[in-house]
Amino acid sequence: GVVDRSMAERYVELMGELVMNTPYEDYEAAMANFDTLRALTMVERERIVHLHALVVDVLMRGVPGDMIEAGCWRGGVAIFLAACLEAYDRRPDEGPLREVWFADSFEGLPEVDVASYPGDSIHSGSDGIEILKKNSVESVQRSVESVGLGHRARFLPGYFSGTLPAAMAAGAFMQRGFALIRLDGDLYQSTIESLHYLYPLLQVGGHVVIDDFTDWRGCREAVADYREKHGITERIEIVWKNIAVVGRKGVAGVW
C-alpha cells in the first residue's frame, strides 16, 4: 500500500539513533572510549545518513537485488538497512521482500595470513581486538528480532574464506544479486575475498560502500588491486571523513 513518507522517514531516523544507542549514551563520548562502546555500530551519524540516501536511491530507481554487509559486527548497520527496506520496500504483490544478509565471523577478525596476503602484515595482532571478539551470532539475532526485523534478515556466520564460496556454491545469492554491498572486513584478505565473490553480483546501478578504505591500509590495497585486475576505472570518491563509496550514478559520491 501507500506509505506515509514522513512517517517512514521518521521511523528510519529513529532506527539510526537506536543502533547508535543515542537514547542511552552520548555516542561521540562513547566512541572516545572505544573498548566500552555499547552501541550496535561504530559508524557515525553522517555515514548512516549517507547510507540512507543510497538505499533510497536504489529503491527509487528500481535497482533489483538484496543488500549485504560483509563485516557486520553487532549488526547495527545491517539492522538499519533492514529498517530502510521495511519503511520503503513494501511490495505485497511483487514477489518476495528484499532481505539483508548479515555476514560476519561474529567472533572477531581472523589471524592475518601474511604469507598469502602480505598487505595485512601491518595489521598483525588485530585478531586480538577484544571488542570485536566479544560478540556472537545469537546476540545479533536477538537484536534483529527485538526490533521486529527478523523477516528481513539472513545470517552467514563464519570467516568469509569459507562462508562466501559455500553460499555461492549453494546458489544463495544468485537469484536476486545485490542492489547494495557494504564491506567492513578491515583486512586485505577479508576485503579482496568479499569483492571477489560479491562484486560480480552487484546489479547495474547498485552501490558498494567500502567502510575501511581510509583507515585500514590492507583494505585500501585490496580495493586498488581488485580494481586494477578487473579494469575498473570509475573514480572512488571519499564522501565523508572515513568512508569511500563505490557505486554508479544518482547520488553524489558513487563508483
Side-chain angles (χ1 to χ4, degrees):
V2 177
V3 177
D4 182 329
R5 190 164 182 79
S6 63
M7 289 296 292
E9 289 178 351
R10 182 60 181 149
Y11 163 73
V12 168
E13 179 184 336
L14 289 171
M15 287 300 294
E17 297 300 319
L18 180 64
V19 300
M20 291 187 295
N21 204 38
T22 56
Y24 304 103
E25 62 184 346
D26 182 307
Y27 185 75
E28 291 185 6
M31 283 292 287
N33 192 8
F34 177 78
D35 290 333
T36 61
L37 185 69
R38 292 186 295 165
L40 298 180
T41 182
M42 301 177 196
V43 174
E44 300 87 343
R45 182 175 288 103
E46 290 84 349
R47 293 195 287 166
I48 292 285
V49 169
H50 185 267
L51 191 63
H52 178 204
L54 294 182
V55 175
V56 171
D57 175 63
V58 295
L59 295 178
M60 291 292 289
R61 290 188 293 110
V63 178
D66 290 329
M67 300 184 179
I68 187 169
E69 184 173 33
C72 66
W73 188 44
R74 292 175 179 167
V77 168
I79 288 172
F80 180 75
L81 289 174
C84 290
L85 293 180
E86 187 71 358
Y88 306 129
D89 184 50
R90 297 187 179 180
R91 306 174 302 156
D93 301 320
E94 298 180 24
L97 295 175
R98 297 178 195 248
E99 296 173 315
V100 177
W101 287 82
F102 291 60
D104 202 283
S105 72
F106 300 100
E107 56 184 35
L109 296 172
E111 183 177 356
V112 298
D113 179 0
V114 177
S116 301
Y117 304 100
D120 278 334
S121 59
I122 194 172
H123 305 309
S124 293
S126 56
D127 56 306
I129 299 176
E130 203 61 32
I131 196 170
L132 300 182
K133 294 170 64 177
K134 290 181 178 178
N135 195 22
S136 70
V137 66
E138 291 82 11
S139 67
V140 178
Q141 288 171 332
R142 281 195 299 272
S143 296
V144 174
E145 294 292 343
S146 73
V147 293
L149 292 170
H151 61 291
R152 292 280 187 177
R154 301 283 298 275
F155 287 86
L156 200 61
Y159 293 128
F160 301 155
S161 58
T163 59
L164 293 181
M168 291 290 292
F173 306 140
M174 299 302 292
Q175 186 175 359
R176 292 189 288 191
F178 297 107
L180 189 147
I181 296 170
R182 188 173 192 277
L183 305 185
D184 194 359
D186 301 342
L187 304 176
Y188 183 105
Q189 178 181 357
S190 303
T191 304
I192 202 73
E193 289 170 345
S194 299
L195 286 169
H196 174 74
Y197 290 109
L198 301 177
Y199 189 80
L201 299 178
L202 181 68
Q203 296 282 5
V204 174
H207 302 308
V208 177
V209 180
I210 312 291
D211 180 88
D212 308 297
F213 188 81
T214 61
D215 296 329
W216 289 70
R217 192 178 80 185
C219 167
R220 188 163 55 252
E221 290 178 359
V223 172
D225 289 349
Y226 186 85
R227 284 166 55 87
E228 180 179 5
K229 180 179 179 179
H230 295 278
I232 300 169
T233 58
E234 293 174 83
R235 185 165 64 109
I236 297 179
E237 184 173 348
I238 308 300
V239 299
W240 192 69
K241 177 182 171 185
N242 292 321
I243 189 170
V245 174
V246 183
R248 308 166 200 271
K249 308 174 189 172
V251 173
V254 238
W255 159 17

